Structures are given as structure tokens and as C-alpha cells.
């Protein structure tokens, strides 16, 4: 029991989702129709991506990028590289994975260069880069993946609507970096990646296999094939043959959280009184609802809860993909960033929250109003 309580405290989002699902089942009793409303396609797609991304991490596929980072001579140049490495990689490997790859590297390189005072500002901007870089693609974040699957729009149309936010975010991030190093833009840094680990030749089959599988998963997402369940089976079989130990490394907590919130969303949608209230309240106000609700339950579950009552998908997406800029609760990626930092610097969680909040809110203050007016651009 103590272990269970400790686990639930650690995985607070899962705890909230389980309680929400249980409560919702008292509102709308379970039925076959409820099971049918669960988005099994999104769950299957997410499972495929999580498995293959674990392969990416285990085989150190980003090793060339990491080595490149250690070659920069100024701290501003290194920061530009690291922040935009997160920005661009998050479009393909999801925002949380990009942070898992680059935040530890950032801490190591700045610590070796005796410039620890820049660690918090840089990883705070990496957090923004992950949130804003990932919004461009349908598979950049779990909420994008879910809403793209439900929307029926094309991948090109989805990216077209997200492009203005993505471009403006890149420009604004550049401004933020220049402001950070405005006093000494050419301050040198002497930090080298001392990890001389090489790719193992005998693992080439695994590396090539994971790259091909990721390309296959992207094709499945973009094509919207009706045979997605066959694709899931093929990926599971391929990973089993390549490295069956990856099945023990998958973030099943995220999958379980998604499942519970699917149950919650389906249950409240099936209750006429609650669904009627949400329909009247959310429709036409998706932008505000998505930002505010995300501060309570995070943007991924908020997307599941709000989708059935949405009439403006653009506003919902813009709000959800901006919610992580308001507070650490707004995005699961931000929580991951916090965990990485406090493992390296125990007892300095409040320092992280202070710098993260100031930096993110400053970014949010610039983008929130233009996004609101642009959100009327219907899909």
C-alpha cells in the first residue's frame, strides 16, 4: 500500500485521470457504446511512437548532434544551437523526448564551461522551444496527434494553420536569446563532450530499423489509413524482433492517463446535462477554455475533454499549444523538464519555477493576443 501511495503521489496526472474516470462512470454507467467512443487509434499510434522513441534513446541516435554541440566557442552560439535543436527536433520526436535528450546535455556543457548561471534561463527557453516547435506537426505532441486524428483535415492544412505561430515563435526565441546575452554576446565557453562513446557496429540493424519504423509511423499518421491496427501490429512485431527489452521501457503511465481521460470524456459527453453546459460554454470560447483548463489538468487531457464540444479547432489548438507557457502544469513536457533539473540540483525546485515562470509568461504575454485574433482562421 505504501508503494502504491508513493507511486500515485509521483504520478499525479495519472491519479487525477483515474479519479476522473471513476467519477465519470457514476455519471454515465459503462456500456459497449462507451468503449466504442474511446479513441483506440490514438492510443495505438501513441504506443508505436513511444516504443520507437525508446529505441532512439537506447541506440543514442542523436549522438552526432550532441557532438556538434560541444564544438561551439561562445555561450550564445551554444545556446542558439541547443534551443533550436529542441525546437526543430520536437516536431518529429515530440516535445518531451526532445527535452529528455537536450536538457541534460545543456546542464553538462554549461557546468563544464563554468557558466552555471545560464543553465536555468537556457533550459527555460528550451522548454518554450519544445512547446512551440512541436506545435507545427500533427505528431509533435500528444494533443496534436489526438486532435489531428479527430479533425479529418489533411496534414498540410494542419501545418498551414500552425505555421504562423511556429515562425513567430522562432523569431521571438531568437530575440529572447539575444536579450539574455546582450551584455557579452561573445562570452567564450570551453566545454567539450567528454563522452567518447561510439555507435556499436553490431547495433546498426537496430538503428536503421528504428529510423525506418519512425518513417513508417509518420506515413501511417499522415495517410490516415483505416488499417492503422495492422500498422500497430507490424510495429510491435518489428520492435520485438529488434529489441524486446524496449517493451519494458515504454511510458505506460502516459498511455494509462490517456485511456482514463478518454473514459472521462466519453462519460461526460454521454450525460445530457453536463454535455449541454459544456456545449454552451466551450463553443465559441475554445481559446480561453483550453488555456485555463490546461492549468488544472494539463493540455493533453484538456484536449480530450474539450474536443467533443469544440466548434473552432484552430482556437482549441492555439490555446492548448500555448498553455504550457502559463504554468508548469500547463504541459507535461514542462513537468519533465522540472524533474530533470531537480535531479541535478536537489532543493532548487523553487529557483526553477521562478525562472521558468518569468520566462514563459513573458513569451506568453507577447503571443497571446495575436493568436487570439488569428484563431478565427477556420480549418
Amino acid at each position: 500500500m505504501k508503494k502504491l501511495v508513493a507511486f500515485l503521489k509521483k504520478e499525479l496526472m495519472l491519479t487525477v485521470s483515474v479519479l476522473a474516470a471513476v467519477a465519470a462512470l457514476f455519471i454515465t454507467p459503462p456500456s459497449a457504446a462507451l468503449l466504442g467512443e474511446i479513441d483506440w487509434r490514438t492510443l495505438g499510434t501513441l504506443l508505436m511512437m513511444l516504443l520507437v522513441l525508446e529505441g532512439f534513446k537506447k541506440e543514442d541516435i542523436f549522438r552526432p548532434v550532441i557532438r556538434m554541440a560541444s564544438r561551439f566557442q561562445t555561450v550564445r552560439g551554444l545556446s542558439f544551437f541547443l534551443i533550436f535543436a529542441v525546437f526543430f527536433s520536437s516536431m518529429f520526436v515530440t516535445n518531451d523526448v526532445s527535452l529528455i535528450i537536450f536538457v541534460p546535455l545543456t546542464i553538462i556543457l554549461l557546468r563544464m564551461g563554468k557558466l552555471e548561471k545560464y543553465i536555468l534561463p537556457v533550459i527555460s527557453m528550451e522548454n518554450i522551444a519544445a512547446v512551440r516547435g512541436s506545435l507545427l506537426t500533427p505528431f509533435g505532441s500528444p494533443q496534436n496527434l489526438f486532435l489531428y486524428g479527430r479533425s479529418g483535415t489533411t496534414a498540410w492544412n494542419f501545418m498551414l494553420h500552425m505555421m504562423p505561430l511556429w515562425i513567430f515563435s522562432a523569431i521571438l526565441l531568437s530575440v529572447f536569446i539575444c536579450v539574455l546575452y546582450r551584455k557579452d554576446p561573445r562570452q567564450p565557453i570551453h566545454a567539450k563532450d567528454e563522452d567518447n562513446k561510439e555507435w556499436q557496429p553490431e547495433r546498426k540493424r537496430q538503428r536503421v530499423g528504428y529510423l525506418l519504423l519512425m518513417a513508417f509511423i509518420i506515413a501511417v499518421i499522415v495517410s490516415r489509413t483505416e488499417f492503422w491496427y495492422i500498422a500497430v501490429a507490424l510495429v510491435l512485431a518489428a520492435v520485438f524482433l529488434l529489441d524486446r527489452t524496449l517493451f519494458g521501457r515504454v511510458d505506460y503511465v502516459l498511455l494509462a492517463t490517456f485511456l482514463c481521460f478518454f473514459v472521462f470524456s466519453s462519460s461526460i459527453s454521454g450525460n445530457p446535462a453536463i454535455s449541454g453546459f459544456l456545449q454552451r460554454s466551450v463553443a465559441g470560447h475554445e481559446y480561453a477554455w483550453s488555456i485555463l483548463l490546461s492549468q488544472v489538468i494539463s493540455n493533453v487531457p484538456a484536449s480530450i475533454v474539450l474536443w467533443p464540444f469544440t466548434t473552432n479547432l484552430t482556437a482549441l489548438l492555439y490555446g492548448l499549444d500555448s498553455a504550457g507557457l502559463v504554468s508548469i502544469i500547463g504541459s507535461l513536457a514542462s513537468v519533465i523538464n522540472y524533474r530533470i533539473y531537480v535531479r541535478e540540483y536537489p532543493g532548487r525546485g523553487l529557483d526553477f519555477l521562478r525562472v521558468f515562470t518569468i520566462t514563459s509568461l513573458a513569451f506568453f504575454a507577447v503571443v497571446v493576443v495575436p493568436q487570439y485574433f488569428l484563431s478565427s482562421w477556420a480549418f
Side-chain angles (χ1 to χ4, degrees):
M1 182 59 70
K2 288 183 179 179
K3 289 183 177 180
L4 177 61
V5 171
F7 175 77
L8 292 176
K9 285 183 178 179
K10 179 183 177 182
E11 302 295 346
L12 186 58
M13 194 56 61
L14 175 62
T15 304
V16 171
S17 68
V18 171
L19 292 175
V22 171
L25 291 177
F26 284 100
I27 299 173
T28 305
S31 63
L34 175 63
L35 288 174
E37 286 295 319
I38 295 173
D39 193 340
W40 299 108
R41 180 187 187 122
T42 295
L43 289 172
T45 305
L46 192 57
L47 174 60
M48 288 192 296
M49 291 194 70
L50 291 173
L51 267 172
V52 174
L53 289 173
E54 285 300 326
F56 271 53
K57 288 189 285 184
K58 184 174 181 179
E59 299 303 328
D60 209 11
I61 288 176
F62 285 93
R63 167 57 44 188
V65 179
I66 292 172
R67 284 186 174 172
M68 191 182 302
S70 65
R71 297 175 183 170
F72 283 84
Q73 301 299 314
T74 67
V75 65
R76 188 178 70 169
L78 176 63
S79 297
F80 260 104
F81 177 82
L82 291 170
I83 291 167
F84 277 94
V86 173
F87 186 82
F88 289 111
S89 65
S90 65
M91 295 187 295
F92 304 101
V93 300
T94 73
N95 48 25
D96 54 347
V97 172
S98 64
L99 290 172
I100 290 171
I101 293 169
F102 289 103
V103 170
L105 175 66
T106 300
I107 294 173
I108 291 170
L109 291 177
L110 291 178
R111 183 187 288 161
M112 291 171 58
K114 303 187 186 306
L115 291 168
E116 287 187 274
K117 65 179 181 179
Y118 291 118
I119 289 178
L120 273 176
V122 172
I123 66 173
S124 295
M125 283 190 277
E126 285 177 348
N127 202 100
I128 296 172
V131 170
R132 304 299 285 184
S134 64
L135 62 78
L136 179 65
T137 61
F139 35 81
S141 64
Q143 71 269 14
N144 278 17
L145 180 63
F146 167 67
L147 292 172
Y148 171 75
R150 288 297 182 95
S151 67
T153 190
T154 64
W156 165 247
N157 193 40
F158 183 99
M159 295 175 67
L160 182 65
H161 279 73
M162 307 307 286
M163 186 72 73
L165 274 63
W166 187 78
I167 293 174
F168 184 61
S169 295
I171 296 171
L172 192 56
L173 269 172
S174 299
V175 173
F176 270 49
I177 297 170
C178 290
V179 169
L180 176 62
Y181 298 110
R182 64 191 181 279
K183 293 183 179 179
D184 191 359
R186 296 189 178 277
Q187 183 172 359
I189 184 170
H190 304 287
K192 298 298 179 184
D193 178 22
E194 296 178 345
D195 183 0
N196 294 318
K197 183 172 63 174
E198 298 287 344
W199 277 338
Q200 301 175 26
E202 65 272 17
R203 303 289 294 180
K204 182 178 180 179
R205 182 171 69 95
Q206 280 78 7
R207 292 191 295 274
V208 173
Y210 298 137
L211 288 168
L212 292 175
L213 285 174
M214 179 56 73
F216 175 68
I217 293 170
I218 292 173
V220 169
I221 294 171
V222 173
S223 67
R224 295 181 177 281
T225 176
E226 297 179 1
F227 304 105
W228 60 269
Y229 49 90
I230 298 178
V232 173
L234 289 173
V235 170
L236 293 180
V239 171
F240 184 83
L241 293 174
L242 289 169
D243 188 349
R244 66 191 67 180
T245 65
L246 295 184
F247 286 91
R249 300 162 63 108
V250 170
D251 187 359
Y252 293 108
V253 169
L254 179 60
L255 289 170
T257 301
F258 253 68
L259 177 60
C260 288
F261 275 114
F262 277 137
V263 172
F264 174 74
S265 177
S266 300
S267 296
I268 63 173
S269 299
N271 183 280
I274 297 176
S275 62
F277 167 76
L278 289 174
Q279 187 70 57
R280 293 189 301 271
S281 303
V282 175
H285 305 283
E286 292 88 349
Y287 189 63
W289 264 90
S290 57
I291 292 173
L292 294 175
L293 185 59
S294 295
Q295 308 315 308
V296 181
I297 62 174
S298 187
N299 55 6
V300 174
S303 66
I304 300 170
V305 173
L306 296 176
W307 162 251
F309 313 102
T310 295
T311 58
N312 184 346
L313 178 60
T314 307
L316 182 64
L317 276 166
Y318 284 9
L320 292 169
D321 286 330
S322 303
L325 301 173
V326 179
S327 74
I328 192 172
I329 299 173
S331 172
L332 291 175
S334 305
V335 177
I336 290 171
N337 200 2
Y338 172 82
R339 286 181 176 178
I340 295 172
Y341 181 78
V342 295
R343 278 202 301 266
E344 293 292 329
Y345 296 97
R348 293 188 58 183
L350 289 178
D351 292 336
F352 176 93
L353 291 175
R354 177 177 54 83
V355 177
F356 166 86
T357 304
I358 292 172
T359 307
S360 294
L361 281 178
F363 199 97
F364 179 75
V366 177
V367 303
V368 60
V369 175
Q371 286 182 179
Y372 172 75
F373 289 106
L374 190 60
S375 66
S376 60
W377 181 18
F379 267 81

